[in-house]
Amino acid sequence: YEPLGRQVQSLREAGELDREKAWELICRYVDLVLSIVANMQEPYTLSLLFHEQNQRLFPDRPITRVICRDAESILQTLLITYWGGTGSQTAVVVSRIVNGSLITLGEHPMFIRRSLGLEDDAELSEEVIAEIREYMLNSIRAHMPAESNAQIHSGSCRASS
């Protein structure tokens, strides 16, 4: 997440983070998370995160803190920019739903594989990953906060390779 976070910060500081650039970076963000979780072989970090939040062994929850700071805040910033500078609460909610949905692919990989009739350790096809990606991006595109004056963005973004 760090290079993308630095890019977002740099563009913001230079006053160059506009709606079009935000959409391009939202697409890259979704692609990044999908590349991490879609065919994760050993989701130990996700398991640690789950236990950290549910067993409360570490009151300051260091993994959670890093994920909020280094991952979810990037998407929140991009969403607010994409939506025309409004919807900070909506950005937090949508960021959590997008990230949570994508992370679930790594945490519980068998659900989608068994539903698709695949072996538990089978890789998800590019077609399935593209469908997940499009669903996430279409959801973001369509979920404009009520107070936003921005129009729904009809542009698409290419899948990163």
Side-chain angles (χ1 to χ4, degrees):
Y1 295 99
E2 194 173 314
L4 184 58
R6 279 196 311 264
Q7 182 180 13
V8 169
Q9 185 65 28
S10 175
L11 289 168
R12 278 184 74 196
E13 289 171 358
E16 297 174 2
L17 184 60
D18 61 11
R19 189 159 194 260
E20 293 297 319
K21 191 64 172 176
W23 180 250
E24 176 187 321
L25 294 172
I26 288 168
C27 294
R28 281 190 40 211
Y29 182 94
V30 169
D31 290 340
L32 173 64
V33 179
L34 268 172
S35 72
I36 294 168
V37 301
N39 288 307
M40 187 176 271
Q41 296 300 312
E42 299 178 18
Y44 297 122
T45 302
L46 297 177
S47 180
L48 284 172
L49 179 62
F50 176 82
H51 290 293
E52 176 186 86
Q53 291 186 5
N54 289 299
Q55 296 185 4
R56 297 185 175 110
L57 298 174
F58 303 100
D60 64 336
R61 296 183 177 94
I63 300 171
T64 300
R65 189 180 56 238
V66 168
I67 288 174
C68 288
R69 183 192 68 221
D70 294 347
E72 297 210 11
S73 65
I74 295 168
L75 184 55
Q76 292 164 14
T77 298
L78 294 172
L79 291 170
I80 290 168
T81 302
Y82 175 66
W83 290 329
T86 61
S88 60
Q89 177 177 299
T90 303
V92 169
V93 171
V94 170
S95 175
R96 177 77 298 263
I97 290 169
V98 167
N99 280 290
S101 297
L102 294 173
I103 288 170
T104 294
L105 293 171
E107 282 180 328
H108 308 289
M110 290 179 222
F111 288 142
I112 193 167
R113 285 164 177 78
R114 288 183 181 186
S115 295
L116 292 169
L118 301 172
E119 296 294 321
D120 290 347
D121 59 351
E123 285 206 12
L124 294 176
S125 70
E126 288 182 27
E127 181 181 329
V128 169
I129 293 171
E131 197 163 335
I132 294 165
R133 178 185 193 270
E134 284 308 304
Y135 179 84
M136 287 293 130
L137 294 174
N138 286 336
S139 296
I140 291 168
R141 188 182 294 124
H143 195 81
M144 190 75 60
E147 71 270 18
S148 176
N149 293 324
Q151 299 295 312
I152 293 177
H153 186 263
S154 59
S156 62
C157 50
R158 294 185 341 236
S160 0
S161 12

